[in-house]
Amino acid sequence: MEVDELMCLPRLPRVAVCGGTHGNELSGVYLVRELLKVEKKAVEEEEEPVSVMIVLSNPRATQQCHRYVDTDLNRCFTHATLNGPISDTDPYEIIRSRELNALLGPKGSRQAVDLVCDLHNTTANMGMCFITYSDCDWICLHIFRHLQKEIPDIPMRFIHFDVSNKESYSLDSVGKHGFAMEIGPQPHGVVRSNIYTAMKGGVQHMLDWVRLFNSGAIFRGGFVDVFTMVKHIDYPRDSVTHNITAAIHPHLQVRPEMYFYLQCLKTEPSCVEL
Amino acid sequence: MSSYNNTARLTEARRVAIFGGTHGNEMSGVTLVNLWMKNSDEIQRKGVEAKPFITNPKAVEKCTRYVDTDLNRAFTPENLSAPAGDELPYEVQRAQEINKEFGPKGSPEAYDVIFDLHNTTSNMGCTLILESSKDLFNLQMMNYIKKAIAPASCLVLLNEHPLLKYSTSRSVAKHPVGLEVGPQPQGVLRSNIFEAMRVILKHALDFIELFNEGMEFPSCTVEVFRVSERIDYPRDANGNIIAMVHPNLQDCDWEPLNPGDPMFQTFDGKTIHYQGSGTVYPTFINEAAYYEKQQAFVTTRRETLVASAIRKA
């Protein structure tokens, strides 16, 4: 496919912005609260080419300021879980995932919202990341490029999880298009003003792009650097207690290199090379 | 200058405890204590019985700050004297058990020194927490530690405030020492933070060993930051936070905050300024655990304390 080729894609009339999918990732929680306040006011000016739903995904976990109550909500959106048998004793997050699927989906159907933007924070020093299941969803890639251009002072990366649609498990997979906006570093249970401001700007520019797109604007093609997930690396663990026996090495904690060292928690540091 | 007559004679500090996991998600202390419970070589010193101890095992297992109530606020006289029973909150039961094993608080049988290991999401670096400005032993130990790790810094926070002081797990001992190292997210282990805490404890135990052997520590001065006031986040009528720590204040623990300086930033970008009457030194800025305790940061004032010479009795 040529980069110069013009692709026409359907408008995106319905967008969902979700925060508090993990109840202790506070930038999204506070941003959703603020956007809900503003939403109440801006009802009359409905010249809007896009309708935006603002959603607090996991209210109970948010209220407790915990990641989740029973189980991780952001693993509950597989087709199997969403359509599985229902029981009164289902974990809270499974019940909630079905509610969200009814509200924003159903996943895979024509009624699903056009775009889901799910807001997250990480304790890792990742800057701003888009996380998606596809490396060829032009909508997400163009939004990413637009943000890179509009917010050049924030390090931004596009991460691709190579998981098939059948196995996709996160909230953003409910919409026809979707991505997680992950920003760090921020400790759980804390809102850092610079991180909040970055997320607020990211969401604003994303919505601006959608309005432009829906109004018929043409966006030039180009190239985007994408990081594809290769492997999960666990900590070294004690075979009996399963407790970790090493910490991320200071050189990796601060600055990733091409090779990793792990410093063992003994009196004599020794190195484990990957 | 210390003459023989001005040297305070203090009983030797034989029984020393090292508490980790008072908050179950503050990982440096949990990891260090578990390490030392497996192999205590590193904390052995002549003339010292050093006991590593996990104070809140249920919270550690769940990697949460506490299960029912904050253990580090639970050592009140009311809690410690309440009739024992299963209906008591888990941490109150724990406080009673810990008081029995390492106290009783205020009695001659209590442990001599307890180090209580904590982490904070605030950018406080290494901080030693002192509960009494008259504790000569602790003042001398903190002076020793500060000199030993120089040029790296270790500041002393003094919380003697009648209203803001609280009943800590370490308060069971004759000489309670809080050790707070940050920044580190809850539930995360950072190797540099872990190592910093380990080094401070090494020097602390060295000091105790030297003291017990009879070394005299001459009179010294110790700069401390005395807790002054607790500042909450601005909130709306429903109690929801409506502003964040301002970017100019974020991570600036121990730096002067002057009247008129930016302090908070509302979610829509407006600045709220510090309105105090003089310069203060804020700390515990944006500590995750304190959102529910209505504290965005605590103000302190700088003070220099004098500790007379000490020697084992």
Side-chain angles (χ1 to χ4, degrees):
Chain A
M1 197 205 85
E2 294 295 317
V3 156
D4 296 335
E5 204 178 300
L6 179 64
M7 282 200 66
C8 287
L9 298 172
R11 295 173 65 242
L12 307 166
R14 296 164 67 222
V15 174
V17 176
C18 305
T21 300
H22 294 133
N24 55 8
E25 295 177 14
L26 293 194
S27 298
V29 168
Y30 284 110
L31 184 56
V32 155
R33 256 193 218 150
E34 282 305 298
L35 292 173
L36 284 170
K37 276 190 209 160
V38 171
E39 205 188 35
K40 284 194 190 121
K41 294 185 195 158
V43 170
E44 292 84 44
E45 318 147 15
E46 275 324 309
E47 241 297 325
E48 278 298 336
V50 60
S51 104
V52 183
M53 292 173 71
I54 311 292
V55 181
L56 186 68
S57 317
N58 195 337
R60 242 193 242 177
T62 298
Q63 199 261 330
Q64 295 178 13
C65 200
H66 278 174
R67 181 177 176 84
Y68 54 80
V69 174
D70 293 328
T71 189
D72 191 336
L73 176 61
N74 214 28
R75 303 291 183 276
C76 291
F77 292 92
T78 59
H79 283 291
T81 306
L82 292 173
N83 301 308
I86 303 177
S87 146
D88 287 336
T89 54
D90 276 339
Y92 169 72
E93 278 85 6
I94 298 216
I95 297 174
R96 188 65 189 139
S97 71
R98 293 189 178 130
E99 285 171 8
L100 289 165
N101 191 42
L103 181 69
L104 305 177
K107 174 169 168 171
S109 77
R110 296 181 58 188
Q111 292 81 42
V113 296
D114 300 285
L115 177 65
V116 171
C117 172
D118 189 23
L119 306 175
H120 287 269
N121 290 118
T122 171
T123 59
N125 185 23
M126 283 167 71
M128 184 186 290
C129 290
F130 273 38
I131 307 180
T132 74
Y133 291 109
S134 166
D135 61 357
C136 55
D137 180 328
W138 311 134
I139 299 291
C140 294
L141 287 163
H142 271 281
I143 292 172
F144 177 77
R145 261 190 11 141
H146 180 72
L147 260 57
Q148 275 187 313
K149 200 165 64 95
E150 296 297 318
I151 327 177
D153 55 338
I154 295 178
M156 246 181 253
R157 290 169 190 97
F158 195 100
I159 303 176
H160 166 230
F161 272 39
D162 197 2
V163 170
S164 74
N165 192 275
K166 209 166 67 122
E167 270 134 44
S168 59
Y169 50 76
S170 51
L171 173 54
D172 53 283
S173 69
V174 171
K176 296 195 180 90
H177 304 272
F179 64 95
M181 182 184 290
E182 181 95 51
I183 311 190
Q186 181 174 274
H188 299 316
V190 163
V191 62
R192 290 180 67 99
S193 44
N194 60 328
I195 302 285
Y196 172 88
T197 301
M199 189 176 270
K200 182 173 171 187
V203 168
Q204 198 48 60
H205 288 295
M206 175 204 56
L207 294 173
D208 287 347
W209 186 92
V210 172
R211 289 183 185 105
L212 281 171
F213 176 76
N214 286 350
S215 310
I218 295 176
F219 297 92
R220 299 187 71 91
F223 296 92
V224 172
D225 284 339
V226 165
F227 291 83
T228 297
M229 218 273 294
V230 171
K231 194 176 171 188
H232 292 290
I233 309 276
D234 192 7
Y235 295 90
R237 291 181 188 272
D238 181 289
S239 50
V240 173
T241 63
H242 214 59
N243 290 331
I244 68 170
T245 56
I248 299 287
H249 196 281
H251 292 176
L252 178 58
Q253 180 70 60
V254 176
R255 231 185 344 268
E257 305 285 358
M258 284 174 58
Y259 42 85
F260 306 154
Y261 289 100
L262 293 170
Q263 183 177 42
C264 295
L265 302 177
K266 295 180 183 143
T267 40
E268 268 85 58
S270 62
C271 284
V272 173
E273 200 177 289
L274 239 69
Chain B
M1 186 203 79
S2 75
S3 77
Y4 185 81
N5 292 328
N6 289 341
T7 303
R9 302 291 205 139
L10 307 174
T11 39
E12 68 176 359
R14 183 156 292 277
R15 293 156 82 223
V16 173
I18 303 172
F19 284 177
T22 296
H23 295 133
N25 53 11
E26 295 177 11
M27 302 306 295
S28 304
V30 171
T31 309
L32 275 170
V33 164
N34 280 337
L35 197 73
W36 290 329
M37 283 171 68
K38 238 172 127 174
N39 181 351
S40 63
D41 288 352
E42 199 180 330
I43 57 173
Q44 297 301 335
R45 297 291 190 280
K46 203 168 101 190
V48 182
E49 296 157 30
K51 184 177 171 122
F53 187 78
I54 295 283
T55 43
N56 196 337
K58 262 201 206 168
V60 168
E61 214 211 288
K62 294 183 166 186
C63 197
T64 187
R65 181 176 174 86
Y66 55 80
V67 173
D68 294 328
T69 186
D70 193 335
L71 180 62
N72 215 28
R73 304 289 184 276
F75 287 77
T76 60
E78 303 73 45
N79 280 350
L80 295 180
S81 60
D86 290 332
E87 331 75 51
L88 290 176
Y90 170 72
E91 277 85 6
V92 174
Q93 294 182 42
R94 257 331 257 169
Q96 292 182 344
E97 288 161 17
I98 290 166
N99 190 43
K100 207 177 285 181
E101 182 160 359
F102 297 95
K105 179 166 167 174
S107 77
E109 293 82 48
Y111 261 59
D112 298 293
V113 186
I114 294 179
F115 296 102
D116 192 19
L117 308 183
H118 289 268
N119 292 118
T120 174
T121 58
S122 306
N123 188 26
M124 285 168 75
C126 294
T127 302
L128 292 161
I129 307 183
L130 184 63
E131 300 196 356
S132 161
S133 56
K134 308 213 174 9
D135 190 331
L136 294 178
F137 180 87
N138 273 355
L139 281 167
Q140 286 280 1
M141 175 162 61
M142 292 179 182
N143 177 59
Y144 178 91
I145 293 168
K146 282 158 74 85
K147 297 235 156 59
I149 69 166
S153 103
C154 183
L155 300 179
V156 177
L157 177 68
L158 169 63
N159 193 357
E160 221 174 19
H161 193 292
L163 299 172
L164 299 180
K165 185 169 179 160
Y166 45 86
S167 306
T168 56
S169 41
R170 57 185 177 267
S171 67
V172 161
K174 292 173 187 144
H175 305 289
V177 181
L179 183 40
E180 188 87 52
V181 185
Q184 181 171 270
Q186 297 169 343
V188 165
L189 183 69
R190 290 181 71 110
S191 50
N192 60 325
I193 301 287
F194 172 89
E195 286 300 328
M197 193 179 270
R198 188 184 207 166
V199 162
I200 292 192
L201 275 160
K202 171 197 137 41
H203 292 304
L205 291 169
D206 289 347
F207 169 87
I208 298 176
E209 182 180 32
L210 289 169
F211 176 82
N212 287 354
E213 280 175 353
M215 180 178 278
E216 169 157 336
F217 292 88
S219 167
C220 66
T221 59
V222 183
E223 182 182 67
V224 304
F225 290 82
R226 182 189 282 272
V227 168
S228 175
E229 200 185 352
R230 182 175 74 201
I231 308 285
D232 191 11
Y233 294 93
R235 292 174 190 268
D236 65 17
N238 297 325
N240 296 316
I241 288 174
I242 55 172
M244 312 166 279
V245 171
H246 195 278
N248 288 20
L249 180 57
Q250 179 70 56
D251 300 335
C252 294
D253 298 69
W254 311 117
E255 291 176 32
L257 180 68
N258 304 303
D261 284 350
M263 184 172 58
F264 295 110
Q265 183 181 74
T266 63
F267 292 114
D268 52 5
K270 290 199 253 311
T271 298
I272 298 174
H273 303 271
Y274 177 60
Q275 304 286 2
S277 52
T279 297
V280 291
Y281 296 85
T283 192
F284 275 119
I285 298 174
N286 209 356
E287 159 57 50
Y290 292 166
Y291 280 52
E292 70 173 19
K293 296 198 192 324
Q294 283 93 51
Q295 183 176 309
F297 61 94
V298 99
T299 64
T300 70
R301 293 182 194 278
R302 280 167 88 156
E303 215 174 290
T304 303
L305 298 182
V306 176
S308 57
I310 65 169
R311 190 182 186 161
K312 179 179 82 166

